[in-house]
Amino acid sequence: MSSSEYTFKLVQVCLPEPSKLVVMCDKRKRQCVCLCQVYKSCLDGLLPNYQAFYRVCSRLTKHQSTLLSGQDKQLLVALAGMDVSVPHVAVVSLAVCCRALKLCKVPAAVLHAFDDIRLKPASQVVLGLPEHILAAHAQPSPNPVQLQMTTPFPVTLPECALPADFKKQHGLLAKLHKHLVHRAVLAQHMGEFKSFSTSPFQLNRKGIAHSSRTWQNSEKHVYLFLGYCHHYQQVSQPTLQLFLSSPLIAQFVSFRIAAGHSQLYIRNFLSCAKCVLRWWQSKPGGNHPSFVAGLEWLQTLGLQVADQLPRPSKDPKGLADIGKWMCAADLVHTIHGAEQQSQAQMQQQGVTVETSRDMHDAALAAMIFSHLPPVRLSCIRSLVGPAYLGPCLHPDCKEPSCEGNRLSIMSESPLLMRISLPHHKNARKWGKAVIEFDVPSDLAQLLHTYLGAPRKALLEHHLLIGDACPYVFMDMHGRGFVAAAVLTLYWQKWLVSRGGVPMNPSMCRQVFVDERQSDSATAGPSNQGAAMVMGHSVKQWDKWYDMQYHPRLAQNAVDGMQSWRAAMRQSHTLAAPDLTLSTALHCGHVLVSDSEKSQYQSCCSDSDSDIDIELD
């Protein structure tokens, strides 16, 4: 049974009576992070001294225990058989729990069981705390009656200069402030906000549920804002209540502008701030008019940020001037050279860690560019190998029969490999359509060679995950490229080592579109098919990737006007009638005669103005 972040496993332990133990493991780190104790006899025996026990635990942890909430809490309560009315589930270490139990004089058998569990690494115990016990010792929460935003709202952004102690990593997830994340009030707020944002059906929420990636981005923006408030605004207890302060938000936006962040980054933060406000609106007392005005104020601020801050330049010439661009021919030549060199070294030196890593890098580069239309990097990072037979690893997948983004071997002789990508950016818009194609023979042979002895040598060398690593490609520590930034840095370092420039791997998509849309494009795949493999449409090429679309279209139109002008002149010369001039005595006007018909027509008009002129 699993939740969005943890895996829960139910086991039995022997005490004076049979008891249950819930093991909660972190999916990403693949190690046990806490042991959840639900001993019925222990809880029954401690009920008279629950206040003293919780007071001791709070003192020993310095009020930094973690509160579980949302789906994690529901799964834990269901597995452990705890009372569903228990409002709070706190996580403390087993070492602290053992010391508190000794001070509370519990039976020796219970202490012995705790000592056995405590020998396991990174173990923690979960305690169900009744409301009347916890209320006397919990930190104060916002009063629902006073729940409103700070008014009046700022009418302009304050001036901001980077402080002398400016640090790029100042969020609460940084090592310096990471302990603040586990504060009881903040942990409770984040748990409730996550449940509000990611629950499949939340009818008091605007829009659909956040995906796991969207939630990770929202969590990052929240911790960055709270870290700024703690480090630069001297807020000792950062909580989500700080989002109710419009002056703090305005100062943070000015701080981000001074730090040189892009307008897209700042707009994403403002979108996150609106989500937090809507969460506060859903709580009791959240119907204050200031919330409606606050959402409008954030919307206006986002529009003006988008209008005033320039977008980062994506023009190929400008990127080439700063060393961030390689043309398609240079990239293909670089990657092809790496493929040949890795295969030659493998034949000469055999399977070693160095040659295996070179083969891995060549296969990764060939997947990113050259053999295929540039597939989205998220699909390459989540691609599992043929040997993986487990369930889909995509955190938002709800299909029981889904195998995830997979590289499969269809036949060995002749070699045929296939890539299936059910999880891509536009899967929902396309009606869950799967991007599926057979791998070209050259790339299939390279991948087949790498997935054999070279990959096994890398896994045995790193020993962090071993054969359990399901992904095709891995970083220098034998782990999959779970974070996009890790793959970006890895690619840039490899490309520079091959004589290239530190260009982002996502820029390969723009390089490919720039070549395919140029006037000198060589023969290749159809634009519609290539766009399908890339996970979008040809219209998005013109809007996001082809930076020369408008200049090229304008120049082609101007060049075409010259041939159009010549055609118009030639057409007029061929079709023009033979016109001559003659005079007539019956009026004082010049008449036009057609030589073919030899008939005269009067030039007098029937209008009143012409009649008046004739009379005069």
Side-chain angles (χ1 to χ4, degrees), residues 14-308:
C14 294
L15 278 175
E17 66 181 33
S19 301
K20 292 184 296 184
L21 184 72
V22 178
V23 181
M24 186 170 68
C25 301
D26 191 330
K27 284 182 178 179
R28 294 172 295 177
K29 295 183 179 179
R30 305 174 186 272
Q31 63 182 1
C32 180
V33 295
C34 65
L35 297 174
C36 310
Q37 189 274 342
V38 288
Y39 302 127
K40 185 176 183 299
S41 61
C42 174
L43 295 182
D44 291 343
L46 282 178
L47 282 179
N49 299 324
Y50 226 141
Q51 281 188 331
F53 177 70
Y54 177 71
R55 192 177 299 113
V56 172
C57 288
S58 300
R59 187 176 72 248
L60 294 176
T61 59
K62 297 180 181 179
H63 303 281
Q64 295 179 14
S65 58
T66 302
L67 293 179
L68 294 181
S69 61
Q71 189 178 8
D72 296 336
K73 175 185 172 183
Q74 295 174 7
L75 291 170
L76 184 62
V77 169
L79 268 180
M82 301 171 68
D83 187 0
V84 295
S85 62
V86 174
H88 300 283
V89 179
V91 180
V92 296
S93 67
L94 271 176
V96 171
C97 189
C98 289
R99 294 172 61 185
L101 290 174
K102 290 179 181 179
L103 293 176
C104 294
K105 299 179 181 180
V106 300
V110 177
L111 287 176
H112 182 68
F114 270 91
D115 287 333
D116 290 341
I117 300 173
R118 187 168 55 88
L119 298 178
K120 298 181 180 181
S123 56
Q124 292 183 332
V125 62
V126 169
L127 306 170
L129 306 177
E131 178 69 18
H132 67 280
I133 299 297
L134 185 65
H137 306 283
Q139 297 186 17
S141 58
N143 186 356
V145 179
Q146 301 176 355
L147 200 59
Q148 65 182 55
M149 291 198 67
T150 304
T151 55
F153 296 100
V155 295
T156 185
L157 291 180
E159 296 291 336
C160 179
L162 290 181
D165 60 341
F166 170 69
K167 297 180 180 179
K168 291 185 177 180
Q169 296 183 354
H170 59 269
L172 292 188
L173 293 180
K175 293 182 179 180
L176 184 62
H177 309 130
K178 198 170 184 178
H179 67 280
L180 295 174
V181 177
H182 303 292
R183 294 292 177 90
V185 176
L186 178 57
Q188 180 181 357
H189 284 179
M190 291 301 296
E192 294 178 1
F193 177 50
K194 180 180 180 181
S195 177
F196 175 82
S197 302
T198 60
S199 296
F201 297 99
Q202 190 75 31
L203 302 185
N204 58 349
R205 178 194 64 215
K206 183 179 180 180
I208 61 177
H210 287 183
S211 64
S212 58
R213 183 176 180 181
T214 303
W215 166 249
Q216 290 174 3
N217 292 333
S218 298
E219 188 180 37
K220 176 188 68 176
H221 286 296
V222 167
Y223 285 143
L224 282 174
F225 173 66
L226 298 183
Y228 164 81
C229 295
H230 175 73
H231 188 77
Y232 296 109
Q233 300 295 332
Q234 289 74 46
V235 178
S236 59
Q237 298 291 337
T239 65
L240 292 189
Q241 197 173 0
L242 295 177
F243 279 88
L244 302 180
S245 174
S246 54
L248 276 180
I249 294 178
Q251 292 173 5
F252 180 69
V253 171
S254 296
F255 174 78
R256 285 296 165 198
I257 294 176
H261 285 223
S262 65
Q263 54 104 348
L264 180 61
Y265 185 91
I266 299 175
R267 289 171 60 196
N268 288 339
F269 162 73
L270 295 175
S271 298
C272 174
K274 288 190 288 187
C275 293
V276 176
L277 288 188
R278 293 191 181 100
W279 169 70
W280 279 117
Q281 271 188 311
S282 67
K283 300 179 73 65
N287 55 355
H288 196 273
S290 61
F291 282 99
V292 178
L295 290 172
E296 294 179 355
W297 179 77
L298 289 175
Q299 180 72 15
T300 302
L301 179 57
L303 292 175
Q304 296 187 6
V305 165
D307 179 66
Q308 295 299 321

Side-chain angles (χ1 to χ4, degrees), residues 232-535:
Y232 296 109
Q233 300 295 332
Q234 289 74 46
V235 178
S236 59
Q237 298 291 337
T239 65
L240 292 189
Q241 197 173 0
L242 295 177
F243 279 88
L244 302 180
S245 174
S246 54
L248 276 180
I249 294 178
Q251 292 173 5
F252 180 69
V253 171
S254 296
F255 174 78
R256 285 296 165 198
I257 294 176
H261 285 223
S262 65
Q263 54 104 348
L264 180 61
Y265 185 91
I266 299 175
R267 289 171 60 196
N268 288 339
F269 162 73
L270 295 175
S271 298
C272 174
K274 288 190 288 187
C275 293
V276 176
L277 288 188
R278 293 191 181 100
W279 169 70
W280 279 117
Q281 271 188 311
S282 67
K283 300 179 73 65
N287 55 355
H288 196 273
S290 61
F291 282 99
V292 178
L295 290 172
E296 294 179 355
W297 179 77
L298 289 175
Q299 180 72 15
T300 302
L301 179 57
L303 292 175
Q304 296 187 6
V305 165
D307 179 66
Q308 295 299 321
L309 296 186
R311 285 181 174 270
S313 175
K314 290 187 177 181
D315 179 66
K317 185 179 183 305
L319 292 174
D321 293 340
I322 61 176
K324 296 289 185 180
W325 179 268
M326 291 180 65
C327 67
D330 292 342
L331 267 179
V332 171
H333 176 75
T334 301
I335 296 173
H336 180 66
E339 295 177 31
Q340 291 184 325
Q341 181 179 352
S342 63
Q343 294 174 353
Q345 289 180 347
M346 188 68 67
Q347 294 177 355
Q348 297 173 2
Q349 305 176 19
V351 179
T352 63
V353 176
E354 290 75 14
T355 58
S356 299
R357 177 55 64 176
D358 290 340
M359 179 72 71
H360 166 276
D361 295 345
L364 175 61
M367 281 288 297
I368 294 177
F369 198 77
S370 182
H371 290 273
L372 305 172
V375 183
R376 290 192 183 275
L377 297 178
S378 58
C379 297
I380 296 177
R381 291 189 290 110
S382 60
L383 194 68
V384 297
Y388 178 72
L389 302 177
C392 177
L393 299 178
H394 195 277
D396 299 324
C397 183
K398 300 179 179 62
E399 299 292 335
S401 60
C402 180
E403 297 181 348
N405 294 341
R406 176 176 292 272
L407 173 66
S408 306
I409 299 178
M410 308 306 295
S411 65
E412 294 282 353
S413 181
L415 180 61
L416 177 61
M417 305 183 77
R418 180 171 296 169
I419 291 179
S420 299
L421 304 174
H423 299 293
H424 52 90
K425 185 176 181 179
N426 289 324
R428 180 181 295 173
K429 295 181 180 179
W430 292 2
K432 298 184 179 180
V434 178
I435 300 176
E436 190 174 50
F437 52 86
D438 294 337
V439 180
S441 57
D442 293 343
L443 179 58
Q445 187 61 49
L446 178 65
L447 291 172
H448 190 266
T449 303
Y450 157 69
L451 292 174
R455 187 172 186 273
K456 184 177 180 180
L458 289 178
L459 293 174
E460 292 177 351
H461 172 71
H462 296 299
L463 297 178
L464 289 182
I465 299 178
D467 293 335
C469 179
Y471 300 104
V472 175
F473 303 107
M474 63 190 77
D475 60 11
M476 296 300 293
H477 301 286
R479 298 171 297 195
F481 293 100
V482 179
V486 177
L487 178 57
T488 298
L489 295 176
Y490 189 94
W491 161 270
Q492 289 178 338
K493 184 177 179 181
W494 176 85
L495 195 59
V496 170
S497 68
R498 302 295 306 181
V501 299
M503 182 179 68
N504 290 348
S506 59
M507 195 63 67
C508 293
R509 297 164 67 85
Q510 182 178 340
V511 172
F512 176 77
V513 172
D514 182 75
E515 194 281 331
R516 297 309 306 151
Q517 296 286 76
S518 65
D519 296 332
S520 59
T522 59
S526 66
N527 291 350
Q528 186 175 4
M532 184 70 66
V533 176
M534 295 173 66

